[in-house]
Amino acid sequence: MLQTVVSTALPVQERLAIRKHRLTPASGDTAGLPRLCVVTGTHGDELEGQYVCYALQQRIQAAPEHLTGIVDIYPALNPLGIDTISRGIPMFDLDMNRIFPGTSNGPAAEYLASELMKDLHGASCAVDLHASNIFLREVPQVRLNENNADRLLPFARLLNTDFIWVHANATVLESTLAYSLNAAGVPTLVVEMGIGLRLTPSYGGQLTDGLLALMARLGIWSGEIPEIRVPAESSDGEVVLLSAEVPGMFLPAVPHGVQVQRGQLIGEIVDVLRGQPVQQITAPADGWLFTLREYPACYAGSVVARLMLGGAVF
């Protein structure tokens, strides 16, 4: 069932509408059933979650008799951003993931956030899907606030991602959707994968398998579950950030998602005007390359790669 969650007036007799697709058992009786909410499109330049919304619905619709709970799919929390290829809400010049939980009597963007919070309230679990930006490519990963890690890790381990990254509380913004939902009692997982403005179907399919496993744990799915990988798990202290020291073009020397050894060349930054390399970027320790720069142009301080020390476990 297609439903409009919230809408508000726009100039020139138009309306901004945020919609969802609710999938329910064939019986139609939903009283007391567990509910999973899959949300994405908060940032208009992140499209990886769009594919997951499509793939998950395809899997459910292929075997509707196995659906034993409610699945709410919100493919575009920021429809104007997606339509205009803008990260934020274009008319308001706002990052939508910085205005939650919103307020019902505030400006339009905060009103939208408030109404979304009301609609998501009471869910058994929510999964907030993000892509990386246009500069960096990420392996499929769950990112958790350390304050919620004990409660959320059992769910996160089901999502079939490569990596679970537990962040220190100081690095988590309280105005995000995931923080606000967790504070309101809705267990919410943030997934990041791929790259901005692109789709990576292999990553989307991998996560769809994980969502089915999560649905089974919640009592929402009785069908067959694919084998789920065991993710690597890490805290902030086990992650090393590698940055450019000089401007130039980054040329990777290794593919994304591989194990590297201490001293191994990850890539180099070159000066195209003089035709010379200006910085070699090497692994400071043995580790697993879970982030790699995709956009070649760099400035001093630009992120080039992230390593998990020790490496992945799968």
Side-chain angles (χ1 to χ4, degrees):
M1 179 192 309
L2 299 179
Q3 300 177 355
T4 297
V5 176
V6 57
S7 68
T8 189
L10 292 174
V12 200
Q13 299 182 342
E14 294 181 325
R15 296 194 68 82
L16 185 158
I18 299 175
R19 307 180 74 195
K20 72 177 182 182
H21 189 191
R22 168 162 287 189
L23 296 94
T24 59
S27 66
D29 182 8
T30 60
L33 292 182
R35 174 166 64 113
L36 172 68
C37 295
V38 179
V39 299
T40 191
T42 309
H43 295 132
D45 60 352
E46 298 179 2
L47 304 178
E48 299 281 11
Q50 303 283 307
Y51 182 86
V52 176
C53 289
Y54 165 76
L56 180 61
Q57 290 183 84
Q58 287 280 296
R59 299 280 282 275
I60 294 171
Q61 290 166 354
E65 67 277 9
H66 293 303
L67 186 63
T68 55
I70 302 167
V71 179
D72 280 342
I73 294 179
Y74 306 71
L77 295 193
N78 178 12
L80 286 180
I82 291 175
D83 287 348
T84 59
I85 321 176
S86 303
R87 183 171 183 79
I89 305 174
M91 286 200 320
F92 307 100
D93 194 27
L94 285 173
D95 184 334
M96 190 175 189
N97 212 27
R98 300 295 182 270
I99 58 175
F100 288 96
T103 176
S104 59
N105 58 359
E110 293 196 20
Y111 167 71
L112 294 173
S114 175
E115 293 301 302
L116 278 166
M117 287 290 295
K118 291 177 184 177
D119 198 71
L120 291 159
H121 182 74
S124 305
C125 187
V127 180
D128 183 14
L129 304 179
H130 291 263
S132 185
N133 53 37
I134 65 170
F135 303 102
L136 303 171
R137 183 177 292 278
E138 302 278 2
V139 301
Q141 59 197 266
V142 182
R143 296 187 177 182
L144 303 178
N145 179 343
E146 65 181 3
N147 285 356
N148 297 316
D150 289 344
R151 179 172 63 133
L152 297 179
L153 272 170
F155 293 145
R157 289 168 178 149
L158 295 169
L159 281 180
N160 201 34
T161 59
D162 295 345
F163 184 38
I164 298 173
W165 187 359
V166 180
H167 283 282
N169 188 50
T171 65
V172 178
L173 295 174
E174 296 183 6
S175 54
T176 63
L177 174 62
Y179 186 98
S180 298
L181 284 174
N182 277 307
V186 177
T188 303
L189 306 164
V190 175
V191 174
E192 184 151 349
M193 63 184 183
I195 188 168
L197 298 180
R198 297 290 184 269
L199 297 180
T200 312
S202 61
Y203 288 172
Q206 178 181 332
L207 186 63
T208 299
D209 288 347
L211 287 170
L212 289 173
L214 177 60
M215 288 165 57
R217 169 69 66 88
L218 295 171
I220 298 174
W221 183 252
S222 63
E224 183 178 352
I225 303 301
E227 184 176 353
I228 300 302
R229 67 186 65 197
V230 177
E233 298 182 21
S234 179
S235 65
D236 281 341
E238 299 167 311
V239 171
V240 174
L241 176 69
L242 304 179
S243 301
E245 298 174 356
V246 292
M249 304 296 284
F250 174 65
L251 305 180
V254 293
H256 181 224
V258 300
Q259 189 80 21
V260 294
Q261 306 301 313
R262 179 184 178 89
Q264 183 176 346
L265 181 67
I266 292 174
E268 59 182 5
I269 297 173
V270 301
D271 181 335
V272 297
L273 176 62
R274 296 175 176 80
Q276 297 175 345
V278 290
Q279 181 187 353
Q280 286 197 330
I281 297 170
T282 59
D286 294 354
W288 177 53
L289 190 69
F290 71 89
T291 303
L292 185 64
R293 190 169 186 85
E294 181 83 8
Y295 189 76
C298 290
Y299 297 93
S302 295
V303 177
V304 172
R306 279 191 287 250
L307 293 178
M308 189 190 81
L309 298 179
V313 297
F314 32 77

